[in-house]
Amino acid sequence: MNRPRRLPPDFSRSAAYPLFAFDTAQDRAWVLHFDAEDYRRASFLDQRALNRPDVSGWVVDQAELAAALDPSPPLRDVHWLFHIGHCGSSLVSRLLDLVPGVLGVREPLPLLTLAHERDNPVAATWEAPVLASLARGFADSRAVIVKPTSVVTTIADRLLPATGRACLLWVDLHTWLATMLRDPRLIDGPLSTEPLRLARQPDLPSADTDDARLARAWLVEQLRWRTLATDPALAGRLIDLDFADVLRDPAPAVAHLAAHYGLDVPGDWAQRIKASQLLSRYAKDGDAHFDSNARRRELSAAAEKHADGIAEGMRWAEATLEGIGDEAYFAPRLQPRG
């Protein structure tokens, strides 16, 4: 990347210049040049977003970045689509992209850095410019809906006071265990970030197997969200959504979520979803066919193959919930609904 003397004059208002990443040790940030199609195409705003040779950008320090982010122009609302991981969040984010005025931002690296460096006071000084950089759009943007990486939910308490509304997307524990256990590569994410996910949460019983540890990772996100939902300062700003409801009837489920964000879907909403073909494609790879029937078959096979592991995780969760007196509250979230 070249290093110019200053960022573009419309930097503080335009999402054409995403803050791609920052490094606290080097006091360095990388800014790219995107168009709206780059955002629509990207499932992850990390190295995978740099999939064309003509991506240009700038290298700046924090002082230059902060100076360029003039807070005086009216900025877009920033809303959040938090999730527990591998629960359909990419699909829901892409469906929300169909709502006029929405700019979807999927898994930006700066939020991941803030999560991993939550206790670093230097990283804390980057929070304001990161949030200001997200609150920019294009000419037709009414709101920005950020779908962060799942571990970013651990800093939701710091992100939400200065921003808009939020949703936690989840699937029932049985389905989540089947999803995660079907591919050993999926397990590493929640287990490798376990200390971060468990920090500042109620002490839970030990989990001695990967199956139980996965169940604990699922439960701690549910407990975290319930705690956030009881904060009077966030009253009316948080909802949660079972991805099964989206699969069961996508148009009204996503319309309800859009309404939560203060957005209206168009009159041809159901037809727009059908024409998009999003429900018949893998959300992270539009060239791959993957519809609800394929998902059902894949999860059924995984549930059969990993029945013992799923049972172990379910036993841990049920015993834990009984011990903390929350079995009645969480029981509907453990098993798939018929």
Side-chain angles (χ1 to χ4, degrees), residues 85-131:
H86 303 285
C87 62
S89 60
S90 292
L91 174 58
V92 173
S93 175
R94 290 193 179 280
L95 288 169
L96 287 167
D97 279 353
L98 301 176
V99 179
V102 167
L103 174 62
V105 177
R106 287 177 276 277
E107 310 216 7
L109 281 175
L111 292 174
L112 189 59
T113 301
L114 290 177
H116 280 283
E117 299 191 35
R118 176 180 177 128
D119 296 323
N120 178 356
V122 178
T125 66
W126 286 83
E127 285 185 16
V130 167
L131 290 174

Side-chain angles (χ1 to χ4, degrees), residues 5-335:
R5 300 178 66 179
R6 61 176 56 192
L7 291 165
D10 60 340
F11 177 79
S12 68
R13 302 181 302 279
S14 176
Y17 314 107
L19 173 58
F20 178 68
F22 70 90
D23 186 310
T24 55
Q26 299 183 61
D27 186 27
R28 184 181 299 177
W30 291 265
V31 174
L32 300 183
H33 190 191
F34 269 20
D35 58 29
E37 184 56 33
D38 290 319
Y39 282 98
R40 281 191 289 269
R41 184 170 48 244
S43 295
F44 308 91
L45 288 175
D46 57 18
Q47 293 295 329
R48 287 165 285 190
L50 307 179
N51 58 359
R52 56 181 175 83
D54 58 338
V55 176
S56 61
W58 301 263
V59 181
V60 298
D61 58 25
Q62 188 189 66
E64 184 177 356
L65 179 69
L69 285 166
D70 180 1
S72 59
L75 300 177
R76 273 69 173 185
D77 292 332
V78 177
H79 303 299
W80 302 91
L81 180 61
F82 294 111
H83 57 98
I84 63 171
H86 303 285
C87 62
S89 60
S90 292
L91 174 58
V92 173
S93 175
R94 290 193 179 280
L95 288 169
L96 287 167
D97 279 353
L98 301 176
V99 179
V102 167
L103 174 62
V105 177
R106 287 177 276 277
E107 310 216 7
L109 281 175
L111 292 174
L112 189 59
T113 301
L114 290 177
H116 280 283
E117 299 191 35
R118 176 180 177 128
D119 296 323
N120 178 356
V122 178
T125 66
W126 286 83
E127 285 185 16
V130 167
L131 290 174
S133 73
L134 290 172
R136 300 172 300 165
F138 295 98
D140 62 347
S141 301
R142 286 185 52 206
V144 178
I145 300 181
V146 183
K147 183 194 87 79
T149 309
S150 63
V151 75
V152 174
T153 309
T154 60
I155 59 169
D157 60 322
R158 287 163 66 151
L159 300 174
L160 286 169
T163 51
R165 296 178 171 233
C167 173
L168 177 72
L169 186 71
W170 55 277
V171 291
D172 62 87
L173 177 57
H174 189 281
T175 297
W176 197 70
L177 289 171
T179 300
M180 303 303 289
L181 292 173
R182 68 195 163 102
D183 186 342
R185 293 171 296 182
L186 299 180
I187 298 174
D188 181 63
L191 298 191
S192 65
T193 55
E194 197 172 49
L196 185 60
R197 294 173 186 270
L198 295 177
R200 301 174 186 83
Q201 293 304 302
D203 289 335
L204 296 175
S206 62
D208 301 324
T209 66
D210 284 355
D211 310 309
R213 291 170 68 194
L214 285 172
R216 184 170 61 182
W218 178 93
L219 179 58
V220 79
E221 296 304 335
Q222 299 280 351
L223 292 170
R224 188 192 322 278
W225 196 254
R226 189 173 67 166
T227 299
L228 285 170
T230 62
D231 184 347
L234 301 178
R237 292 170 53 194
L238 308 185
I239 62 171
D240 65 87
L241 176 62
D242 183 351
F243 182 59
D245 291 334
V246 178
L247 291 177
R248 187 173 294 108
D249 206 348
V254 180
H256 175 71
L257 182 55
H260 172 65
Y261 295 136
L263 301 164
D264 296 320
V265 300
D268 63 344
W269 179 234
Q271 292 83 354
R272 188 173 295 209
I273 290 176
K274 183 177 180 180
S276 73
Q277 298 188 332
L278 287 170
L279 299 177
S280 61
R281 301 291 177 183
Y282 183 47
K284 294 184 175 69
D285 178 4
D287 294 330
H289 177 82
F290 191 73
D291 59 14
S292 59
N293 290 328
R295 181 180 186 273
R296 201 159 29 241
R297 289 193 299 270
E298 192 171 294
L299 286 178
S300 178
E304 182 176 352
K305 180 178 180 180
H306 300 285
D308 291 343
I310 293 170
E312 168 64 21
M314 297 295 293
R315 281 194 297 271
W316 182 92
E318 289 164 355
T320 298
L321 290 170
E322 182 178 0
I324 63 178
D326 274 341
E327 65 271 29
Y329 179 86
F330 284 105
R333 298 172 182 242
L334 296 179
Q335 297 279 1

